[in-house]
Amino acid sequence: MANRAVRGVTPILPDNMTRRRSHSTQGYALVEVLAAMAIVVLIGTLAFLAFGNQDRRRLDADAAAVALLLQEARMRALEAGRPIEIVLSARDRVLDVGGRQFAFDPAIGIAPARAALILKPSGNSEGLELVLTRDTAQKTVTLDWLTGQVVIQ
């Protein structure tokens, strides 16, 4: 009985429930435009982070590869009990570590221009500070003269 409509009584509803749109909507709402712009900005930011810093990544990769090669040479010298020669030629863009060579990317600057040292079985050497540069980025790979520890800065 509560569901029956009483004749002559009109229900009182808020205005927004009783009004109907008499015209069709055209265009986009402001919220829709802002949401689309936010998505485009998010995708652009992710693309820049993924692809925009390739030079820095290449420099980091070369510095890590050089450090790994020097650490490996230190371990080989300790295991074999014999010294390993390290020769750097910036002109040829090659680092030769006991017969194993690393070729640098042509876009990377190398300092010093030339270096030659012996890594002794005890781990010590004359030391090496290798500076790699690309555009404004710089990495330094240091071979400690006393301990033979390799550090990237």
Side-chain angles (χ1 to χ4, degrees), residues 16 62 82 94 101 129 135 139:
N16 61 355
D62 276 6
R82 60 181 176 78
V94 172
Q101 294 187 342
E129 187 170 290
D135 297 330
K139 285 285 183 180

Side-chain angles (χ1 to χ4, degrees), residues 135-150:
D135 297 330
T136 59
Q138 176 177 321
K139 285 285 183 180
T140 304
V141 180
T142 305
L143 174 65
D144 187 65
W145 67 273
L146 182 60
T147 63
Q149 182 181 10
V150 180

Side-chain angles (χ1 to χ4, degrees), residues 88-94 110 112-114:
L88 169 69
S89 173
R91 184 178 59 91
D92 297 332
R93 311 199 61 72
V94 172
I110 308 166
R114 182 144 178 82

Side-chain angles (χ1 to χ4, degrees), residues 29-42:
L30 179 62
V31 173
E32 294 170 333
V33 172
L34 290 176
M37 287 176 53
I39 291 170
V40 168
V41 167
L42 180 65

Side-chain angles (χ1 to χ4, degrees), residues 58 61-66 69 88 92-97 100-105 108 132:
R58 183 64 183 162
D62 276 6
V66 167
L69 190 63
L88 169 69
D92 297 332
R93 311 199 61 72
V94 172
L95 176 67
D96 186 333
V97 180
R100 296 186 182 175
Q101 294 187 342
F102 177 78
F104 290 97
D105 186 315
I108 291 180
L132 305 176

Side-chain angles (χ1 to χ4, degrees), residues 56-92:
R56 179 73 176 194
R57 288 184 187 173
R58 183 64 183 162
L59 181 65
D60 290 345
D62 276 6
V66 167
L68 183 64
L69 190 63
L70 292 173
Q71 288 172 345
E72 180 189 10
R74 178 179 176 218
M75 295 307 294
R76 283 191 297 149
L78 288 170
E79 288 174 357
R82 60 181 176 78
I84 293 184
E85 182 181 21
I86 300 171
V87 178
L88 169 69
S89 173
R91 184 178 59 91
D92 297 332

Side-chain angles (χ1 to χ4, degrees), residues 106-124:
I108 291 180
I110 308 166
R114 182 144 178 82
L117 58 124
I118 303 293
L119 187 59
K120 298 176 184 166
S122 61
N124 61 353

